[in-house]
Amino acid sequence: MALRLIIFFIIIALIELYAFQAVKTFTKVRWVLIAYVVISLMAIIFIAYQFTKFDRSVGQTQMTMITLGLLLLVLIPKLILTLVLFLEDVFRIVSGTISKFSGNTTDSFIPERRKFVSQIALGIAAIPFASLIYGMTLGKYNYKVITQQIFFPDLPDAFDGFKITQISDVHSGSFDNPEKINYAIDLINEQEADMILFTGDIVNTHAKEMLPWIETFNRIKKYEYGKYSVLGNHDYGEYVDWKTEADKAKNFHDIKSLYGKIGFNLMLNEHTYIQKGNDKIALVGVENWGVKFKKAGDLHKASEGLTKEEFKILMSHDPSHWDAEVNQHPKDFHLTLSGHTHGLQFGIEIPGFFKWSPAQYVYDQWAGLYEKSGKYIYVNRGFGYHAYPGRVGIMPEITVIELKKGKSLV
């Protein structure tokens, strides 16, 4: 443990040294250099102090999110500066060595650091710095309504054109702006849909996080074919230390009741039929099941009594469930709706052209629509945010899915 701490502090010291060298090469103004050192030192002290104050019985708070945001704001740009200047140092050492062995005795062994390299490094580092600030101020509430048509040859005729609004990963304990949340609820209500589905994570950990927002979410309008939800991994309260198991059990009970308090029917490893005219489809809802998270979902129990031929929509919070179990299940689930990943709240997305996030190195299905052998999964990018108090590139999402009868046009 002591050795790891020593290594950690050495790495931080090197990063700070390189970052200071970039600033020093860019400007020699004394007060600027002093201000940079003071601000950096204050940020490091604040971050270190807040980490020592973290209480596992409380979990994430507004202060822990601010601390993580500041850590990323400080660390990522300086890592970029370090990488660029380290590569320049490699070049300087190689250049100096070649010069030395070629008999050049007039120049110093290692050439001076070049100002334009530091300028380039600072310019590159300014991009994530500005992006992270945007993400923490405007990006986290920059809601996007994404519409998606999905075609199925065996969709019952009456459901051709049936629209579903999906929200996921509310994480109400992270909210800090009632006006923006009310705006998002207005966006939900503006969508002309037949049914709304909520695919889990109503809180970060504690049921009390949602209490200030009950009235706000009760503004979500009634839908002709209902409002349904499932649990997400954060709804089980497993990311904090509880004084007693009874406290944990009560919190879980209270979290389950929250869904009902905002008008959603919580589905716990069960199914129901949605009837329209003479046709019906099965809506299946399982508890959280994730490859690397809690496996409380019971797909066999939830689909008991259903036939392979019936058209089925599955709500399962974690998209890793799709490849691990859903696609191999003999009942054939036509469409799975998930969330969970948030698209890592960081990435680059140009709709219809390009989509990238570090989330794709963890999840095969992490944002948007995916298809395998005629079966589909849609992964919602999340309504709220968690840990990092912002969103960069991957914006909060309200999804409207239209079911269409016929072969896919893709």
Side-chain angles (χ1 to χ4, degrees):
M1 182 65 179
L3 180 60
R4 281 184 290 182
L5 278 174
I6 292 171
I7 294 173
F8 172 77
F9 284 117
I10 290 173
I11 292 172
I12 294 297
L14 286 173
I15 291 173
E16 289 296 332
L17 178 62
Y18 270 108
F20 179 74
Q21 286 296 317
V23 175
K24 189 177 179 181
T25 305
F26 181 72
T27 179
K28 296 291 193 292
V29 179
R30 184 176 175 81
W31 73 265
V32 173
L33 297 175
I34 292 174
Y36 171 81
V37 171
V38 170
I39 293 171
S40 294
L41 185 59
M42 289 175 62
I44 292 170
I45 292 172
F46 175 82
I47 292 167
Y49 174 74
Q50 290 300 329
F51 272 108
T52 63
K53 298 289 288 182
F54 181 74
D55 187 348
R56 277 201 52 87
S57 67
V58 175
Q60 178 176 284
T61 64
Q62 291 292 334
M63 184 54 69
T64 60
M65 287 193 294
I66 290 171
T67 302
L68 181 57
L70 180 60
L71 175 63
L72 295 175
L73 195 62
V74 169
L75 186 60
I76 292 178
K78 289 184 178 182
L79 279 173
I80 292 172
L81 291 175
T82 299
L83 177 61
V84 174
L85 295 190
F86 175 77
L87 291 175
E88 188 198 15
D89 279 349
V90 172
F91 173 82
R92 291 165 65 206
I93 291 171
V94 171
S95 176
T97 302
I98 293 173
S99 179
K100 182 71 173 178
F101 281 99
S102 65
N104 189 340
T105 59
T106 58
D107 297 331
S108 61
F109 176 68
I110 300 179
E112 288 187 7
R113 195 177 295 283
R114 292 165 293 180
K115 183 177 181 179
F116 84 91
V117 174
S118 294
Q119 290 174 328
I120 291 172
L122 287 166
I124 296 172
I127 296 173
F129 183 80
S131 298
L132 288 165
I133 290 177
Y134 168 82
M136 291 187 286
T137 53
L138 300 177
K140 63 184 178 182
Y141 294 128
N142 187 12
Y143 291 96
K144 302 297 182 184
V145 177
I146 297 179
T147 59
Q148 179 72 62
Q149 283 189 334
I150 311 178
F151 289 80
F152 300 93
D154 54 348
L155 180 70
D157 292 340
F159 286 88
D160 187 16
F162 191 83
K163 290 184 179 181
I164 301 167
T165 294
Q166 182 197 4
I167 60 172
S168 191
D169 300 87
V170 163
H171 290 283
S172 54
S174 300
F175 295 154
D176 59 8
N177 191 322
E179 182 181 349
K180 295 295 186 181
I181 303 305
N182 273 292
Y183 163 74
I185 299 300
D186 289 339
L187 275 181
I188 292 172
N189 288 335
E190 287 171 10
Q191 309 313 309
E192 295 182 0
D194 300 289
M195 181 170 64
I196 186 168
L197 304 179
F198 179 178
T199 45
D201 277 359
I202 196 170
V203 296
N204 295 330
T205 298
H206 298 94
K208 63 183 180 182
E209 297 167 15
M210 184 63 184
L211 298 182
W213 306 100
I214 294 291
E215 184 178 345
T216 303
F217 277 80
N218 264 322
R219 292 183 50 242
I220 296 177
K221 67 184 181 182
K222 293 182 179 180
Y223 287 76
E224 183 178 357
Y225 295 92
K227 302 162 73 172
Y228 296 91
S229 60
V230 291
L231 296 171
N233 57 301
H234 281 269
D235 294 328
Y236 294 84
E238 296 195 334
Y239 302 115
V240 300
D241 296 330
W242 295 93
K243 290 181 180 179
T244 68
E245 283 299 314
D247 289 341
K248 181 181 178 182
K250 182 181 185 305
N251 184 68
F252 183 44
H253 174 271
D254 292 343
I255 285 174
K256 288 188 287 186
S257 71
L258 288 173
Y259 287 96
K261 289 180 179 178
I262 61 171
F264 282 80
N265 294 306
L266 180 61
M267 303 185 74
L268 301 168
N269 297 321
E270 57 189 295
H271 70 268
T272 188
Y273 284 105
I274 308 298
Q275 187 85 31
K276 186 177 182 185
N278 295 323
D279 293 327
K280 64 181 180 180
I281 62 176
L283 178 65
V284 184
V286 295
E287 292 192 51
N288 189 81
W289 196 105
V291 170
K292 297 179 181 179
F293 292 88
K294 188 176 184 70
K295 296 177 175 62
D298 189 334
L299 197 55
H300 295 286
K301 178 182 177 182
S303 61
E304 188 175 356
L306 295 175
T307 66
K308 180 178 180 179
E309 292 73 27
E310 290 175 297
F311 190 92
K312 294 173 284 296
I313 296 175
L314 171 67
M315 288 191 291
S316 181
H317 176 73
D318 191 322
S320 66
H321 194 196
W322 196 55
D323 278 337
E325 273 199 352
V326 176
N327 276 343
Q328 287 74 46
H329 198 277
K331 292 291 177 71
D332 279 355
F333 294 89
H334 296 71
L335 172 63
T336 299
L337 300 179
S338 298
H340 181 63
T341 71
H342 302 201
L344 210 67
Q345 297 168 210
F346 183 86
I348 302 170
E349 190 164 11
I350 304 173
F353 294 96
F354 182 76
K355 182 173 66 177
W356 174 88
S357 166
Q360 68 192 56
Y361 306 117
V362 182
Y363 293 93
D364 291 330
Q365 298 83 32
W366 60 275
L369 185 67
Y370 302 83
E371 182 269 340
K372 284 185 181 180
S373 303
K375 301 172 187 176
Y376 293 86
I377 183 172
Y378 190 91
V379 184
N380 182 282
R381 294 159 179 82
F383 183 93
Y385 53 92
H386 180 256
Y388 165 61
R391 283 179 174 266
V392 178
I394 308 296
M395 298 307 172
E397 175 180 359
I398 297 162
T399 315
V400 180
I401 294 173
E402 183 179 12
L403 306 180
K404 296 293 291 181
K405 188 175 181 69
K407 293 184 179 180
S408 174
L409 300 179
V410 178

